[in-house]
Amino acid sequence: MTDGGARTAIAAVTSEFAEFSFADTGPEADYGDGPLTWSGYTEQRARARTRSGESESVVCGQGQIGNQPVVLVAFDFRYIGGSLGQRAGTRICRAFEIARRLRWPVVSLISTGGSRMQEGMRSLLQLQRIARQLQLTRWEGLAHIAVLREPTTGGVWASLGAGADIVLAVRDATVAFGGHRVQPPGGADGPEFRSEGKFAAGAVDAVVDQATLPHTLRHVVELLAPTGAAPVQPATVPRALGRQDWPADGWSAVQRARAVERPRADAYLDDYFDHVFEISGDRAGGADPGMRCGFGRRDGATVAYVAQTGTANTPAGFRTAARLIRLADQLRLPVLTLVDTPGAANDAAAEHAGVGSALAELFGAVAAVDVPITTLVIGEGGSGGALALASADRLWITPDAYFSVIAPELGAAILKRGPAEVEHTANQLRLRPQDLLELGIVHGIAGEEPID
């Protein structure tokens, strides 16, 4: 069931709202039957105005979410199914132009059936116009957050919705490129066509209940508020939460890093941040719970983070990490990475999903950004799956971690050594924190206090 319309959606998330005036788009009477002279289109729009109280399918204006002013774009499904025509496209484009001029984030509250057939290709071309506005806004370092309401389908989902920096979806909303009427019989009833299915497939960052949406949206908007022009300061190195003594030999370092009682990413994130918002998914069909990505508040400032949780990460995890790092660069936010993985997944599924190209994408993202990246190895630092997250100039390690070109067992196997020689191989690899410091691989060993 659809919600109460554009203004109801706006009122639910804002403390104040002022609609933009689009007088130069021309009065509705001048629009006639549209570019295709579609018979009855004038009457359809008249009925839509009566039903919705709106002059178009989108309402655009400025509002306040928490302590952050924003530009809002809200769809009203009661107006011809929230469909996108020329006039609606123009309003959306102008709303983004205003956002760039004011340097405010954009929040899109979407409920739509897609492009408006009565305007033909003139309607479909709005997707290109909107895509251009999204890119221009991204280049300006401003965030765009989309909220997918019931329903969100068609070209608007494939442009304004899926093209947002952060995508929130109301629980159980229909989210699909093809709506119910264009799907094969029974096809659109599966989970793939709803919010939860899109989250599982990596296309949505979070599924939220209608009641908690205002709080979640405020949280996200305030975390991603535009930054000033001052240079971005690196994130402080987290304090070490585990053992403070250094391991006696290489194999001891490996065992300590693998110990069940060693503090993991969740402990470090809880200790470091006041609160966080996590993103999810690679936008290409996958999500990896072993790669935690998001934004957190520390000492009143936002820091982006990527934290491995001790598992062998999948291609989806590496692509999500790359997405997070590129977004942090766009928003001029420092990045903290926590390394803890035995290595990248190397099974058949990982190879099929392109683990090599996913790692290359992440290496490239880390190398390309202008914002500083701070890395702390908190557990296992296994090969390229760990190095892909490592900063080139701010790399630290805890006393109960190691970093190695390969796991000792795998290294011994490659060298045709038996199990009895694994410990010796670990020592030869010089993977202890103090070895890495002496070799110039890491810049320091973290202690009990954070490092500026």
Side-chain angles (χ1 to χ4, degrees):
M1 180 178 293
T2 56
D3 55 33
R7 294 181 195 272
T8 299
I10 291 170
V13 299
T14 59
S15 57
E16 55 186 68
F17 177 72
E19 187 175 1
F20 296 145
S21 173
F22 295 110
D24 57 343
T25 61
E28 284 290 317
D30 292 345
Y31 204 37
D33 279 338
L36 306 186
T37 60
W38 187 285
S39 178
Y41 185 35
T42 301
E43 289 74 18
Q44 274 187 290
R45 295 200 323 281
R47 290 193 296 271
R49 285 196 300 273
T50 301
R51 185 182 306 114
S52 65
E54 305 296 345
S55 61
E56 247 304 337
S57 60
V58 293
V59 175
C60 304
Q62 63 187 58
Q64 189 82 10
I65 296 181
N67 58 19
Q68 176 60 48
V70 299
V71 167
L72 289 128
V73 174
F75 284 71
D76 199 310
F77 196 81
R78 299 171 303 175
Y79 192 102
I80 315 182
S83 56
L84 182 68
Q86 291 182 93
R87 193 183 303 275
T90 296
R91 290 186 177 188
I92 293 169
C93 291
R94 293 189 178 178
F96 274 86
E97 291 168 0
I98 293 170
R100 292 197 298 275
R101 186 170 69 246
L102 297 173
R103 295 206 55 77
W104 291 351
V106 180
V107 174
S108 296
L109 307 172
I110 304 173
S111 177
T112 176
S115 300
R116 192 173 299 172
M117 287 188 300
Q118 294 89 334
E119 297 187 26
M121 281 300 298
R122 289 282 183 86
S123 169
L124 194 64
L125 288 177
Q126 304 311 307
L127 306 184
Q128 290 180 324
R129 299 178 66 201
I130 290 171
R132 177 63 176 169
Q133 292 301 317
L134 265 59
Q135 187 58 56
L136 292 173
T137 304
R138 189 172 292 119
W139 286 338
E140 286 295 318
L142 301 171
H144 172 215
I145 301 108
V147 177
L148 313 181
R149 297 149 56 211
E150 169 64 24
T152 299
T153 61
V156 180
W157 157 234
S159 55
L160 190 67
D165 299 311
I166 302 294
V167 182
L168 308 178
V170 174
R171 189 172 303 281
D172 204 37
T174 300
V175 181
F177 182 61
H180 286 281
R181 295 184 181 181
V182 297
Q183 288 292 328
D189 294 328
E192 299 85 359
F193 300 91
R194 307 201 79 81
S195 301
E196 292 80 358
K198 286 295 186 290
F199 176 78
V204 163
D205 287 301
V207 175
V208 296
D209 293 316
Q210 189 69 52
T212 59
L213 174 61
H215 172 76
T216 301
L217 189 56
R218 173 177 178 169
H219 190 35
V220 175
V221 167
E222 291 182 346
L223 278 172
L224 304 187
T227 58
V232 181
Q233 297 303 309
T236 300
V237 180
R239 63 176 181 149
L241 301 180
R243 295 177 60 171
Q244 303 297 312
D245 59 310
W246 294 0
D249 54 48
W251 185 240
S252 296
V254 173
Q255 288 181 306
R256 284 167 55 161
R258 295 174 178 174
V260 174
E261 65 273 14
R262 174 182 58 78
R264 307 286 165 153
D266 56 352
Y268 277 92
L269 294 174
D270 288 345
D271 184 71
Y272 192 82
F273 290 114
D274 298 325
H275 57 267
V276 302
F277 172 78
E278 297 210 345
I279 70 169
S280 178
D282 64 355
R283 300 295 185 264
D288 180 2
M291 186 79 81
R292 293 184 61 181
C293 301
F295 302 89
R297 183 74 76 182
R298 177 179 172 84
D299 296 333
T302 301
V303 176
Y305 67 85
V306 180
Q308 293 171 313
T309 65
T311 63
N313 292 115
T314 67
F318 294 120
R319 292 190 179 106
T320 305
R323 179 167 76 90
L324 182 283
I325 289 170
R326 287 193 294 264
L327 181 54
D329 193 44
Q330 169 191 326
L331 301 176
R332 302 186 70 252
L333 297 173
V335 179
L336 171 68
T337 62
L338 301 177
V339 170
D340 183 12
T341 180
N346 59 3
D347 56 10
E351 291 296 337
H352 178 75
V355 65
S357 59
L359 277 166
E361 180 181 347
L362 180 53
F363 273 114
V366 170
V369 296
D370 290 326
V371 296
I373 298 177
T374 300
T375 300
L376 180 64
V377 185
I378 63 172
E380 291 195 79
S383 194
L387 186 64
L389 279 179
S391 170
D393 52 12
R394 285 185 62 83
L395 174 60
W396 299 74
I397 192 168
T398 62
D400 51 4
Y402 77 87
F403 212 159
S404 176
V405 64
I406 196 169
E409 297 89 342
L410 300 180
I414 291 172
L415 296 172
K416 298 181 180 180
R417 295 176 176 178
E421 296 185 83
V422 169
E423 294 184 24
H424 173 61
T425 303
N427 294 330
Q428 283 187 304
L429 288 169
R430 300 199 64 191
L431 45 71
R432 298 178 303 169
Q434 59 265 46
D435 295 326
L436 298 165
L437 183 61
E438 182 181 344
L439 290 168
I441 305 300
V442 300
H443 298 84
I445 301 174
E448 294 183 352
E449 298 300 324
I451 301 166
D452 292 325

